[in-house]
Amino acid sequence: YMYLSDRSPLSYAPSATVLEELSRREHHDLNNKDWHFLVVAQPEMSSIFSPLEGTVEESMELNRIVGPNNITPLEGSQATKANFLAGIWKATHIHIGSHALADLKNASPSIVFTGTGGQEDYLYSYEIMGQPIDADLVFLSACGTSIGKNSTGEGLMSIARAFLLAGCRCVVATLWPI
């Protein structure tokens, strides 16, 4: 016996809209010398958010693996929404280690970035959908990035869905607090 996945490539999309958008994307055949990682780790936040253990270490390990020429690390005060949006155009891989806010009633889940004056800045899912993101992989190391308000016929209006609609080929996301 053979599994279907042994004979044919399989894809999963949370809705027909996302599947149609993904089918329009050009396939990349990249090797690691063509990679460029955009990594967000431990944005500065007010005391309402606890520090995220391990996010800086994740960034350092990715830097070690792919090399300093193939990575744009955004850590601490550099982990701003503006820096992130400026860096996504050349990223083949995006790794976000931050807090995220989502629930089943809110149609606009968000990722938390460094703001001004010790406050946070939020990147909302509708802002992500409006970006042309040509990344092969987005890894969301943040809480509840696969949850959101349910929309009939479209599924969950999550951060993960927003990245797929923006053009990302693959998104790894969470359903629970991390």
Side-chain angles (χ1 to χ4, degrees):
Y1 295 99
M2 289 183 68
Y3 293 104
L4 178 61
S5 61
D6 292 337
R7 294 180 298 205
S8 302
L10 298 178
S11 295
Y12 166 80
S15 71
T17 303
V18 172
L19 183 60
E20 179 184 2
E21 186 63 33
L22 289 173
S23 68
R24 294 182 197 174
R25 305 298 300 176
E26 181 180 316
H27 175 69
H28 284 178
D29 188 20
L30 296 175
N31 60 45
N32 63 355
K33 72 177 177 17
D34 298 322
W35 289 353
H36 189 84
F37 280 65
L38 178 63
V39 179
V40 175
Q42 195 62 51
E44 291 180 359
M45 301 176 202
S46 67
S47 61
I48 63 169
F49 291 100
S50 61
L52 295 167
E53 292 184 34
T55 58
V56 173
E57 290 81 1
E58 288 172 353
S59 178
M60 290 171 30
E61 184 64 13
L62 285 169
N63 190 16
R64 186 189 69 72
I65 292 169
V66 301
N69 295 331
N70 294 353
I71 192 167
T72 301
L74 301 174
E75 297 175 9
S77 64
Q78 295 300 307
T80 65
K81 176 177 162 179
N83 286 343
F84 176 76
L85 292 174
I88 58 174
W89 67 272
K90 68 176 183 176
T92 59
H93 297 74
I94 298 171
H95 181 95
I96 300 175
S98 182
H99 286 283
L101 304 173
D103 59 51
L104 299 177
K105 297 177 182 158
N106 185 355
S108 294
S110 61
I111 300 169
V112 184
F113 285 87
T114 300
T116 57
Q119 296 301 307
E120 298 77 30
D121 198 2
Y122 301 90
L123 178 63
Y124 293 95
S125 58
Y126 63 85
E127 295 175 294
I128 296 166
M129 286 186 280
Q131 301 296 318
I133 305 175
D134 195 29
D136 289 306
L137 174 67
V138 175
F139 191 94
L140 299 171
S141 184
C143 298
T145 51
S146 285
I147 65 171
K149 184 177 180 179
N150 190 29
S151 175
T152 304
E154 287 300 317
L156 297 175
M157 307 305 281
S158 68
I159 294 169
R161 179 183 184 275
F163 275 105
L164 289 169
L165 283 173
C168 301
R169 287 164 188 78
C170 181
V171 178
V172 177
T174 61
L175 288 168
W176 52 84
I178 57 169

